[in-house]
Amino acid sequence: MHLVMEGILRSDIYGPMLRSLADDHLGTTGFFRFDLPFEEALRRHNTKGCSDFGESELRQWWRDHDALHGCDERVIGSDRDPDAIVDLITTAVRLALPNR
């Protein structure tokens, strides 16, 4: 089974749950984290047409370089385009699958 979670998952709030999820998972677990300047995260958010929250809420949730300690994260910077990001994640998943 594969699970992809996306969002601002602050390490101080979600870290224990994410580490527990990884510890309980019997297969390979991969963590990927966007490390973007706030302005770039806001720009990307604004392209989604999401009206559930805006800049004010995003600023309240935002933590620069919010690493999830105790998990081997692959950091994705603002220099990667969407196709490269999808390729990075799908390649990691394929490599983690057992040979058949």
Side-chain angles (χ1 to χ4, degrees):
M1 174 195 337
H2 301 300
L3 167 67
V4 176
M5 297 176 66
E6 188 273 336
I8 299 177
L9 301 172
R10 289 177 36 178
S11 64
D12 61 334
I13 296 171
Y14 297 100
M17 179 270 298
L18 293 169
R19 282 188 290 276
S20 177
L21 184 64
D23 289 344
D24 291 345
H25 183 244
L26 299 178
T28 302
T29 301
F31 286 92
F32 299 84
R33 174 176 55 88
F34 285 99
D35 191 11
L36 309 172
F38 176 80
E39 293 74 22
E40 177 63 13
L42 178 61
R43 185 192 70 75
R44 292 180 185 198
H45 169 71
N46 288 336
T47 66
K48 297 177 183 179
C50 174
S51 61
D52 294 339
F53 62 91
E55 181 177 353
S56 175
E57 293 85 1
L58 194 59
R59 283 192 186 281
Q60 289 175 352
W61 303 328
W62 189 257
R63 300 292 179 268
D64 281 329
H65 312 293
D66 191 22
L68 181 59
H69 300 287
C71 295
D72 184 23
E73 294 179 313
R74 295 182 190 171
V75 178
I76 302 170
S78 57
D79 59 326
R80 294 224 187 202
D81 64 54
D83 290 335
I85 295 166
V86 169
D87 186 54
L88 171 72
I89 295 170
T90 56
T91 298
V93 168
R94 269 189 247 113
L95 292 174
L97 292 174
N99 293 333
R100 296 186 183 184

